Amino acid sequence: MTRAPVLGELAVLDDVGPPRRGRAYPAAGATSALLLPAALLLGGLVLWPVLRTVHASVTTDGRWVGAAHFRAALDAPDTAAVVGRTVLWALLVPAVVTGLGYLLAAASRRSQEGGLVRLILVVPIALPLVVTGVTFRLMYDPDPTRGLATLLAARLTGRSAEDAPQLLGPGLVTVALMSAFIWAWVGLAVLVFRAALDRVPPSLADAVRAYGGSRRHVLWDAQWRPLLLRTFAVVFALVAVGTSRTFDLILVMAPGSVRDEAAVLALRVWQTSGGTTTGEGAALGVVWLVAVAAGMLVAALFVRQAWPPPRPAEPEPEEAEPATAPPPRLFRLIAAGAAVAWLIPLGVLVATSLHSPVDAAAEGWWSAPLSLDSYRDVLGGSELWRALTFTLLLATVVTAAVLVVALLAAYPLAWLTGPAAQATGLLLMAASIVPVQVIAGPVNEVLGVVLSSGTARGLALVHLALGVPFAVLVLRNAFADLPAEQVRGARLGGRHWWGTLRRLARHNRPAIVAVSVLEFVQVWNDLVVGLLFSGPDAAPLGLFLAGQTRGFVANSGALATGSVIASVLPVLLVVLARRHLVAGLVAGGVR
């Protein structure tokens, strides 16, 4: 919107409407300044490290060696099994999560108990993967006197305690890890499918029935074809990309003796190179990058203009459509049963924390007296408080910085259209899914030049660079989706770009809340970034908990207690902001 004097009076010229939405906005000079912080972070701590990794994969001391490092890495023992296991994770786990998510979302719709079911299923989303690993390792403990799942498996198979199935043994450890991951991610699928089901107008199903359609035709023609098929693809792609970040779960849950049998590329890259740049580690990292990029392109193909679906205009009261009938009672009972099953791991974690350290290490929670000794020991020490205070400060500072940088960058990018907007979306999506293990060596090199590596400032800078791409992606789309009337009002009320941005941000509170909660929870729950870039004076909470797993059985009580304490804040945030999280996730599509 432009102001100009006309016959001595101030007139407002409308240049905001949809036909002229792509006009430069704000001015070119201001745009460069707004994009500069995000460009420096992504260029220095994401793009250059990726290029450095690719260069290291084909050179040795600056000398070109071609595919030598790739051959050495792929010919190493068990590498083929690691790659195959990674592919299995990327195909099987998303299929199970997506299928369960749809069934539970459909079974818990429009019923009194449906809200409680969805609330229970959402809680595991907020738990750190370290805590999920601790929880399921307690359940799958190979000793039937301590592991509930092992005890049940022994009784179901009619075996003695000595011959009980080893759920964390070489043959079943991958299945056990997948079950923990599925437990943690099904809630996300339920939220997304519930949002999609709520957008399906009941009149569409009525039209199918009017033409003689059966229940199967209603499911296919009134739900799957118009919306749910793409939603299925979106959820599948999101979970497939998420399986590339199973590092925390494997490191904590798999015992050291079977870790090689459970390894995927996420773990093997770290085992090969750690926080340094090596030829073979870089080659494996490039293989991993290519696989993740392929998954990202598939996700972009289905996310593009598939989410969020347009919300129909509100009908007049006399024309309001009848509410969809709740699912049959059998389906509602199945959903309630699933919710109870989802509570069992949480119950095991809390019950173990309510026993003394000696009892938690010696026998199962069901056969020992309740005690608060583990809480007294953990809360009486200084290590947990130091880790909690540092992580709270780190997450708060990083979240605020990510929000500021992302708002500044998203504001000018929102007005791009056509190929420029699509290319920007793809670049931001690619930057948001780069595995940090792949670029750890080059990032440490950058930190060694700009800051001293292993400091709190360096750790915060890495979190900031990793969080900015997704935040910009979500906020950019939120700005672009604003109605033209709101943009006109913001342009009219703000004399300068910062006034316009402030007014537009008020209209985007749901997206801002989603970005803030997701970033805070991501930093709070992190293990891998802390493992790769922290130092003695900058140890976050995830690293503290992971360190306690070295003597898992002896530390069971303290681990369970620390895990419960570490989970309270992220669970509260996700539960309170769950209405905004789906909108924030699906707004990251490519336009």
Side-chain angles (χ1 to χ4, degrees):
M1 207 164 271
T2 304
R3 295 175 176 82
V6 177
L7 299 178
E9 298 293 334
L10 184 65
V12 178
L13 306 180
D14 185 359
D15 62 350
V16 182
R20 307 182 69 181
R21 200 67 178 264
R23 194 163 174 173
Y25 176 78
T31 296
S32 301
L34 293 173
L35 293 175
L36 184 60
L40 289 176
L41 283 168
L42 298 183
L45 290 174
V46 179
L47 178 59
W48 185 87
V50 168
L51 297 177
R52 174 75 176 90
T53 299
V54 174
H55 178 264
S57 69
V58 293
T59 61
T60 298
D61 298 328
R63 179 174 53 85
W64 175 267
V65 296
H69 293 314
F70 289 91
R71 287 193 295 268
L74 295 176
D75 290 342
D78 297 333
T79 298
V82 169
V83 174
R85 204 175 292 119
T86 304
V87 174
L88 182 64
W89 269 88
L91 294 178
L92 180 60
V93 172
V96 176
V97 169
T98 307
L100 278 177
Y102 170 73
L103 293 175
L104 293 175
S108 60
R109 290 185 71 205
R110 305 186 185 279
S111 59
Q112 294 181 349
E113 64 274 14
L116 181 60
V117 170
R118 291 189 299 274
L119 180 62
I120 292 172
L121 296 176
V122 163
V123 170
I125 299 174
L127 295 181
L129 276 180
V130 174
V131 172
T132 301
V134 169
T135 301
F136 276 80
R137 189 164 174 180
L138 288 171
M139 285 187 59
Y140 294 157
D141 191 296
D143 189 344
T145 62
R146 292 192 304 267
L148 176 62
T150 306
L151 175 63
L152 294 176
R155 291 185 176 179
L156 289 174
T157 57
R159 300 183 184 182
S160 62
E162 293 76 12
D163 297 330
Q166 298 298 300
L167 300 174
L168 293 179
L172 295 175
V173 63
T174 297
V175 176
L177 289 164
M178 287 181 175
S179 68
F181 190 91
I182 291 169
W183 179 81
W185 276 70
V186 161
L188 173 64
V190 171
L191 285 180
V192 176
F193 275 115
R194 171 62 194 274
L197 287 168
D198 287 346
R199 296 291 181 91
V200 178
S203 59
L204 193 57
D206 294 338
V208 175
R209 293 190 190 98
Y211 281 93
S214 62
R215 183 184 295 270
R216 179 176 59 84
H217 292 106
V218 170
L219 176 64
W220 178 250
D221 293 323
Q223 293 185 357
W224 278 97
R225 288 181 65 184
L227 183 60
L228 294 183
L229 186 59
R230 283 196 171 188
T231 306
F232 188 96
V234 170
V235 175
F236 189 98
L238 287 174
V239 179
V241 172
T243 58
S244 67
R245 300 188 174 184
T246 55
F247 177 86
D248 301 16
L249 192 62
I250 296 175
L251 193 66
V252 171
M253 185 175 163
S257 59
V258 297
R259 195 166 291 162
D260 288 340
E261 285 78 5
V264 294
L265 282 174
L267 186 67
R268 182 55 60 90
V269 170
W270 173 72
Q271 291 174 328
T272 304
S273 58
T276 61
T277 305
T278 63
E280 292 186 19
L284 280 178
V286 170
V287 172
W288 192 13
L289 273 177
V290 171
V292 172
M296 182 270 295
L297 289 175
V298 173
L301 175 66
F302 287 101
V303 172
R304 181 183 175 187
Q305 297 181 352
W307 270 98
R311 183 179 293 277
E314 293 293 334
E316 297 296 329
E318 62 273 10
E319 299 176 357
E321 295 176 341
T324 303
R329 180 175 179 82
L330 176 61
F331 290 173
R332 299 201 303 271
L333 290 176
I334 292 174
V340 172
W342 247 250
L343 281 175
I344 292 176
L346 295 175
V348 169
L349 180 68
V350 174
T352 304
S353 70
L354 293 174
H355 292 82
S356 68
V358 174
D359 289 339
E363 52 188 331
W365 52 267
W366 57 88
S367 58
L370 296 179
S371 171
L372 294 177
D373 288 348
S374 293
Y375 281 92
R376 294 191 188 97
D377 290 351
V378 171
L379 295 176
S382 61
E383 291 186 27
L384 178 64
W385 287 111
R386 190 181 305 115
L388 283 170
T389 303
F390 175 77
T391 305
L392 179 62
L393 180 61
L394 177 69
T396 303
V397 171
V398 169
T399 301
V402 165
L403 194 59
V404 171
V405 174
L407 279 171
L408 295 178
Y411 175 60
L413 293 177
W415 319 116
L416 295 177
T417 58
Q422 296 172 12
T424 302
L426 284 172
L427 288 175
L428 290 171
M429 186 179 288
S432 66
I433 61 174
V434 171
V436 67
Q437 297 97 313
V438 173
I439 59 175
V443 168
N444 272 320
E445 294 174 8
V446 174
L447 294 179
V449 174
V450 205
L451 301 164
S452 51
S453 184
T455 64
R457 291 177 300 169
L459 186 62
L461 196 61
V462 175
H463 275 298
L464 180 59
L466 295 176
V468 161
F470 178 76
V472 173
L473 194 61
V474 172
L475 293 176
R476 179 201 72 152
N477 289 347
F479 280 132
D481 283 341
L482 286 176
E485 292 75 15
Q486 292 182 352
V487 179
R488 290 191 189 98
R491 291 290 304 274
L492 181 60
R495 291 183 175 273
H496 303 285
W497 65 262
W498 53 86
T500 305
L501 174 59
R502 186 173 64 252
R503 286 169 171 79
L504 290 176
R506 292 174 184 170
H507 298 304
N508 278 326
R509 286 180 182 173
I512 291 175
V513 170
V515 167
S516 301
V517 171
L518 290 171
E519 182 60 30
F520 186 95
V521 171
Q522 173 66 28
V523 178
W524 180 276
N525 291 349
D526 171 72
L527 169 62
V528 62
V529 176
L531 183 65
L532 293 170
F533 303 105
S534 66
D537 299 326
L541 186 59
L543 197 60
F544 166 77
L545 292 176
Q548 301 295 311
T549 61
R550 294 189 181 96
F552 192 91
V553 174
N555 290 333
S556 294
L559 262 172
T561 301
S563 297
V564 170
I565 295 172
S567 303
V568 172
L569 184 56
V571 167
L572 284 177
L573 289 175
V574 169
V575 168
L576 293 176
R578 64 187 184 278
R579 297 184 183 275
H580 301 309
L581 292 183
V582 172
L585 286 171
V586 300
V590 179
R591 295 180 180 275

